[in-house]
Amino acid sequence: MGAVSLVVVAGLALLGSAIHLLPQLRNPFSEQTTERSGPVLLQSIVELSKYEAAEGNFQVVVDISSGGSLLPSFLEGSDTLFIGIGTDNAYVDFSALKGSAVQVSADRLSATITLPPAKLDPAQLNVQQSYVFAQQQGLFTRVNSFLSGNPNSQQAVYELAQKQIEGAAAKSALITDAERNTRTMLTSLLQSLGFKNITVKYTS
């Protein structure tokens, strides 16, 4: 008798759900569709924000000479060879992407993503690893440096080394590597979402 009552109650519950007397019951065997439309996919990429896609290590030689007065070099002036060691990163900025940046086909199997070109961060000089390779100073210059204790000259060397690292990074393949790595990352991401044909391109 108890089993019959249980069946009747279950049947009434399903009937009530069907005519909206009870909250809708979820069919555990129904298929769920994952939304992969353009706006949703765009929002997901934008949330990645700034993607640091490549890093380069650089070593530069900074040659600084000062003097130019009528006094000979053994009395006034200096020559310094400084070895600057540092890094620079290349990144792709996703944060400002607009709706037209992501195009999804009607069958949601193909996607085209248009990105801004990769950029370089400011270089970071590793002060602990950088060093003065050689230095020659005139007598008067050495005395003046000792008496003034001016740290600005050292800071100027650091800044020049940083700029040279940035110049070396701009001439390297860092930008190209960053764009390739970003394309690989997004392709893998979209494939995991079910897309079959993925195109990632960069604006000029």
Short mmCIF file of all heavy atoms in Angstrom, two decimals, residues 3 16 27-28 39 45 50-51 56 67 69 88 106 121 124 133-134 138 140 154 160 191 193 203:
data_model
loop_
_atom_site.label_atom_id
_atom_site.label_comp_id
_atom_site.label_asym_id
_atom_site.label_seq_id
_atom_site.Cartn_x
_atom_site.Cartn_y
_atom_site.Cartn_z
N ALA A 3 3.86 1.60 -1.15
CA ALA A 3 4.51 1.78 -2.45
C ALA A 3 3.55 2.41 -3.45
O ALA A 3 3.92 3.26 -4.26
CB ALA A 3 5.03 0.44 -2.96
N GLY A 16 1.48 18.35 -11.51
CA GLY A 16 1.44 19.73 -11.04
C GLY A 16 2.51 20.57 -11.70
O GLY A 16 2.32 21.73 -12.02
N ASN A 27 14.67 18.17 -16.02
CA ASN A 27 14.84 16.85 -16.60
C ASN A 27 16.32 16.48 -16.55
O ASN A 27 17.14 17.10 -17.21
CB ASN A 27 14.35 16.86 -18.05
CG ASN A 27 14.44 15.46 -18.66
OD1 ASN A 27 14.92 14.53 -18.03
ND2 ASN A 27 13.99 15.35 -19.91
N PRO A 28 16.70 15.48 -15.76
CA PRO A 28 18.12 15.14 -15.64
C PRO A 28 18.69 14.55 -16.91
O PRO A 28 19.91 14.41 -17.04
CB PRO A 28 18.13 14.11 -14.49
CG PRO A 28 16.77 13.50 -14.53
CD PRO A 28 15.84 14.60 -14.96
N PRO A 39 29.34 38.00 -28.33
CA PRO A 39 29.47 38.83 -27.12
C PRO A 39 30.01 38.08 -25.91
O PRO A 39 30.82 38.61 -25.16
CB PRO A 39 28.04 39.33 -26.89
CG PRO A 39 27.40 39.28 -28.24
CD PRO A 39 28.00 38.08 -28.91
N ILE A 45 37.38 36.98 -23.40
CA ILE A 45 38.72 37.40 -23.82
C ILE A 45 39.11 38.72 -23.16
O ILE A 45 40.25 38.89 -22.71
CB ILE A 45 38.79 37.50 -25.36
CG1 ILE A 45 38.58 36.12 -25.98
CG2 ILE A 45 40.13 38.08 -25.81
CD1 ILE A 45 38.51 36.13 -27.49
N LYS A 50 45.47 42.06 -19.96
CA LYS A 50 46.79 42.20 -20.58
C LYS A 50 47.50 40.85 -20.55
O LYS A 50 47.85 40.36 -19.48
CB LYS A 50 47.59 43.26 -19.82
CG LYS A 50 48.99 43.48 -20.33
CD LYS A 50 49.67 44.56 -19.48
CE LYS A 50 51.11 44.75 -19.85
NZ LYS A 50 51.78 45.78 -19.03
N TYR A 51 47.72 40.30 -21.72
CA TYR A 51 48.35 38.99 -21.81
C TYR A 51 49.83 39.16 -22.13
O TYR A 51 50.20 39.56 -23.23
CB TYR A 51 47.66 38.14 -22.88
CG TYR A 51 48.25 36.76 -23.04
CD1 TYR A 51 48.14 35.82 -22.00
CD2 TYR A 51 48.90 36.38 -24.20
CE1 TYR A 51 48.69 34.55 -22.14
CE2 TYR A 51 49.44 35.10 -24.34
CZ TYR A 51 49.33 34.20 -23.30
OH TYR A 51 49.87 32.94 -23.43
N GLY A 56 62.05 38.69 -22.99
CA GLY A 56 63.41 38.60 -23.53
C GLY A 56 64.43 39.07 -22.52
O GLY A 56 64.18 40.00 -21.74
N GLY A 67 84.17 64.98 -20.63
CA GLY A 67 85.41 65.77 -20.69
C GLY A 67 85.24 66.84 -21.74
O GLY A 67 84.22 67.51 -21.81
N SER A 69 87.31 69.49 -22.10
CA SER A 69 87.96 70.74 -21.77
C SER A 69 89.37 70.77 -22.33
O SER A 69 89.82 69.83 -22.99
CB SER A 69 87.99 70.93 -20.25
OG SER A 69 88.87 69.99 -19.66
N ASP A 88 62.79 42.54 -20.92
CA ASP A 88 61.66 43.30 -21.46
C ASP A 88 60.57 42.31 -21.85
O ASP A 88 60.87 41.21 -22.31
CB ASP A 88 62.09 44.13 -22.67
CG ASP A 88 61.17 45.34 -22.86
OD1 ASP A 88 60.10 45.38 -22.23
OD2 ASP A 88 61.53 46.24 -23.64
N ALA A 106 27.47 31.26 -37.83
CA ALA A 106 26.12 30.89 -37.41
C ALA A 106 26.08 29.51 -36.75
O ALA A 106 25.32 29.28 -35.81
CB ALA A 106 25.17 30.92 -38.61
N ASP A 121 56.59 46.37 -22.89
CA ASP A 121 56.61 47.06 -21.60
C ASP A 121 57.91 47.85 -21.48
O ASP A 121 58.87 47.59 -22.21
CB ASP A 121 56.55 46.03 -20.46
CG ASP A 121 55.13 45.62 -20.13
OD1 ASP A 121 54.23 46.46 -20.22
OD2 ASP A 121 54.92 44.44 -19.79
N GLN A 124 63.20 46.45 -17.76
CA GLN A 124 63.57 46.38 -16.35
C GLN A 124 65.06 46.05 -16.26
O GLN A 124 65.49 44.99 -16.70
CB GLN A 124 62.74 45.32 -15.62
CG GLN A 124 61.25 45.58 -15.62
CD GLN A 124 60.87 46.82 -14.83
OE1 GLN A 124 61.47 47.11 -13.80
NE2 GLN A 124 59.89 47.56 -15.33
N PHE A 133 82.24 47.53 -16.24
CA PHE A 133 83.28 46.67 -16.78
C PHE A 133 84.65 47.34 -16.73
O PHE A 133 85.65 46.70 -16.38
CB PHE A 133 82.94 46.29 -18.22
CG PHE A 133 83.97 45.44 -18.89
CD1 PHE A 133 84.07 44.09 -18.59
CD2 PHE A 133 84.85 45.99 -19.83
CE1 PHE A 133 85.03 43.30 -19.20
CE2 PHE A 133 85.80 45.20 -20.44
CZ PHE A 133 85.90 43.86 -20.13
N ALA A 134 84.69 48.61 -17.05
CA ALA A 134 85.96 49.34 -17.02
C ALA A 134 85.66 50.81 -16.83
O ALA A 134 84.64 51.32 -17.31
CB ALA A 134 86.74 49.12 -18.30
N GLY A 138 90.09 60.99 -14.91
CA GLY A 138 91.19 61.91 -14.66
C GLY A 138 91.29 62.24 -13.18
O GLY A 138 90.35 62.05 -12.41
N PHE A 140 91.43 65.11 -11.49
CA PHE A 140 90.50 66.10 -10.98
C PHE A 140 89.07 65.55 -10.91
O PHE A 140 88.31 65.86 -10.00
CB PHE A 140 90.53 67.37 -11.85
CG PHE A 140 91.84 68.10 -11.81
CD1 PHE A 140 92.17 69.03 -12.80
CD2 PHE A 140 92.76 67.88 -10.78
CE1 PHE A 140 93.37 69.71 -12.76
CE2 PHE A 140 93.97 68.56 -10.74
CZ PHE A 140 94.29 69.47 -11.74
N GLN A 154 75.46 57.83 -11.52
CA GLN A 154 75.14 56.40 -11.57
C GLN A 154 73.73 56.18 -12.08
O GLN A 154 73.47 55.28 -12.88
CB GLN A 154 75.31 55.79 -10.19
CG GLN A 154 75.18 54.27 -10.17
CD GLN A 154 75.41 53.71 -8.78
OE1 GLN A 154 75.11 54.36 -7.78
NE2 GLN A 154 75.96 52.51 -8.71
N LEU A 160 70.29 55.11 -19.11
CA LEU A 160 70.77 54.89 -20.47
C LEU A 160 70.79 53.40 -20.82
O LEU A 160 70.42 53.01 -21.93
CB LEU A 160 72.17 55.49 -20.62
CG LEU A 160 72.78 55.44 -22.03
CD1 LEU A 160 71.85 56.11 -23.03
CD2 LEU A 160 74.15 56.11 -22.04
N GLN A 191 39.44 26.02 -29.17
CA GLN A 191 39.27 24.60 -29.49
C GLN A 191 38.67 23.85 -28.31
O GLN A 191 37.85 22.95 -28.48
CB GLN A 191 40.61 24.00 -29.89
CG GLN A 191 41.08 24.39 -31.28
CD GLN A 191 42.45 23.86 -31.62
OE1 GLN A 191 43.21 23.47 -30.72
NE2 GLN A 191 42.79 23.85 -32.89
N LEU A 193 36.56 25.00 -26.38
CA LEU A 193 35.14 25.39 -26.32
C LEU A 193 34.33 24.80 -27.47
O LEU A 193 33.14 25.06 -27.58
CB LEU A 193 35.02 26.92 -26.32
CG LEU A 193 35.62 27.63 -25.11
CD1 LEU A 193 35.52 29.15 -25.29
CD2 LEU A 193 34.93 27.22 -23.82
N THR A 203 45.67 43.90 -36.16
CA THR A 203 45.54 45.14 -36.92
C THR A 203 46.93 45.70 -37.20
O THR A 203 47.87 45.47 -36.43
CB THR A 203 44.71 46.17 -36.14
OG1 THR A 203 45.34 46.43 -34.87
CG2 THR A 203 43.30 45.67 -35.90
#
